């Protein structure tokens, strides 16, 4: 009898915590996101020396208050879910656990509590609350495009790595004897990476005319190199989008639509398209 009476209560708790279709579940998720944002703000403010010196005690209390709330919430999720192992090993289950661990680890290893900013990942639940499922689908298209481009990107990175080693070695030969900034080939390779990526910190710069000429070539080369991975991913993105979205062309025989862009025959009647 006790088990049967607890079952509806567990189902009701599950609807509130995991479902966003009911009013109670939606308000729970909204309140949860607000608390998450406040907790992340608390950690960020605690890292400011002037604020920490004045309000450090209150920030510490707030931090543990949020941690206790998230711990209770995590335990409730484990209690009301049907498959505990499946939830605990899921993406959000791991994020929920990681969101509370730094506070407890800080009791042993000082400074780990600043890792609590990973709680911001929990705000991803806003996609479910606001019915933004199409955005997660687009994220899947981007992930597929990146995965399909992985070999080309690796080849491109190997080419860039080889290029910066050569450029850094040349700059070391040109500037090394006269410029104290280029003290070694690794230091020169660092300059080549910074220059080729158009970051340009300016902490090391060539002084000789030949070195400045080489630097000018590297700077111009950097603009063209940056466009390469963008083009690779863009091509794969377009192909993934075309594979995802059906073509609007209708079959001349049966009039059915929704065919793939490269389809030659109707998938409903088999007629030639």
């Amino acid at each position: 009898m006790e088990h049967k009476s607890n079952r509806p209560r567990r189902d009701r708790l599950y609807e509130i915590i995991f479902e966003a279709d009911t009013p109670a579940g939606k308000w729970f998720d909204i309140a949860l996101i607000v608390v998450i944002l406040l907790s992340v703000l608390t950690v960020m403010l605690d890292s400011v020396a002037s604020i920490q010196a004045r309000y450090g005690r209150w920030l510490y209390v707030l931090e543990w208050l949020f941690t206790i709330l998230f711990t209770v919430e995590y335990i409730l999720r484990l209690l009301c879910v049907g498959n505990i192992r499946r939830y605990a090993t899921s993406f959000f289950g791991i994020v929920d656990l990681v969101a509370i661990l730094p506070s407890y680890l800080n009791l042993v290893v000082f400074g780990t509590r600043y890792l609590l900013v990973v709680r911001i990942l929990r705000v991803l639940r806003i996609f479910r609350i606001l019915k933004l499922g199409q955005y997660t689908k687009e994220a899947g298209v981007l992930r597929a495009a990146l995965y399909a481009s992985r070999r080309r990107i690796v080849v491109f990175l190997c080419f860039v790595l080889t290029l910066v080693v050569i450029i850094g070695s040349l700059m070391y030969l040109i500037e090394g004897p006269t410029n104290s900034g280029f003290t070694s080939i690794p230091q020169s390779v660092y300059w080549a990476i910074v220059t080729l990526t158009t970051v340009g910190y300016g902490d090391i710069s060539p002084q000789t005319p030949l070195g400045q000429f080489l630097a000018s070539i590297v700077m111009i080369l950097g603009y063209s190199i940056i466009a390469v991975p963008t083009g690779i991913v863009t091509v794969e993105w377009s192909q993934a989008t075309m594979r995802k979205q059906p073509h609007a062309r209708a079959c001349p025989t049966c009039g059915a639509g929704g065919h793939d862009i490269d389809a030659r025959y109707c998938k409903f009647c088999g007629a030639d398209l």
Side-chain angles (χ1 to χ4, degrees):
M1 294 294 293
E2 184 178 356
H3 175 73
K4 293 182 179 180
S5 62
N6 289 334
R7 187 72 181 180
R9 185 182 304 173
R10 175 179 164 182
D11 293 342
R12 176 60 178 167
L13 187 62
Y14 180 87
E15 291 179 0
I16 295 175
I17 295 179
F18 284 94
E19 300 292 342
D21 296 330
T22 61
K26 185 174 182 179
W27 281 111
F28 174 83
D29 284 342
I30 293 176
L32 179 62
I33 289 176
V34 171
V35 174
I36 291 170
L37 294 177
L38 290 176
S39 67
V40 173
L41 179 62
T42 300
V43 176
M44 295 174 65
L45 291 177
D46 189 55
S47 65
V48 181
S50 58
I51 297 178
Q52 202 279 336
R54 187 171 182 178
Y55 304 103
R57 180 182 299 179
W58 293 105
L59 293 174
Y60 183 78
V61 172
L62 281 176
E63 179 185 312
W64 271 104
L65 177 61
F66 291 134
T67 299
I68 293 173
L69 288 175
F70 291 138
T71 302
V72 172
E73 180 223 352
Y74 181 73
I75 294 174
L76 290 176
R77 288 180 182 273
L78 293 178
L79 292 177
C80 66
V81 75
N83 192 329
I84 296 178
R85 182 178 179 181
R86 184 175 181 180
Y87 165 73
T89 56
S90 65
F91 172 76
F92 280 114
I94 295 174
V95 170
D96 293 341
L97 179 61
V98 173
I100 60 177
L101 283 181
S103 292
Y104 298 106
L105 290 176
N106 189 69
L107 299 175
V108 181
V109 183
F110 179 76
T112 55
R113 62 194 178 93
Y114 293 111
L115 295 175
L116 289 173
V117 292
V118 299
R119 287 174 179 170
I120 198 69
L121 290 174
R122 304 193 68 194
V123 181
L124 292 175
R125 284 190 170 90
I126 196 172
F127 288 98
R128 180 177 59 124
I129 299 170
L130 300 181
K131 307 299 182 184
L132 301 179
Q134 61 269 26
Y135 291 94
T136 58
K137 294 179 181 178
E138 295 300 328
V141 175
L142 176 60
R143 183 174 62 252
L146 291 174
Y147 183 78
S149 308
R150 66 192 185 282
R151 293 186 179 90
R152 299 175 187 175
I153 293 176
V154 169
V155 172
F156 169 76
L157 290 178
C158 291
F159 169 76
V160 172
L161 181 61
T162 303
L163 188 61
V164 295
V165 171
I166 295 174
I167 294 174
S169 301
L170 289 176
M171 188 60 74
Y172 173 72
L173 293 175
I174 296 172
E175 294 285 330
T178 58
N179 192 340
S180 59
F182 296 87
T183 57
S184 63
I185 291 181
Q187 188 74 10
S188 302
V189 170
Y190 158 77
W191 170 87
I193 295 174
V194 170
T195 306
L196 193 64
T197 56
T198 68
V199 176
Y201 290 129
D203 51 346
I204 305 175
S205 59
Q207 303 299 323
T208 64
L210 184 57
Q212 292 173 352
F213 175 74
L214 179 59
S216 301
I217 295 177
V218 174
M219 293 175 195
I220 296 174
L221 187 61
Y223 286 103
S224 60
I225 285 181
I226 289 176
V228 173
T230 304
I232 293 174
V233 176
T234 301
V235 170
E236 294 296 338
W237 182 303
S238 300
Q239 293 180 356
T241 303
M242 287 188 296
R243 288 193 297 266
K244 173 189 170 186
Q245 295 179 350
H247 199 269
R249 182 176 49 180
C251 173
T253 302
C254 66
H259 300 93
D260 296 334
I261 193 156
D262 58 347
R264 299 177 57 185
Y265 302 97
C266 177
K267 61 184 177 181
F268 298 98
C269 68
D272 190 357
L273 294 176

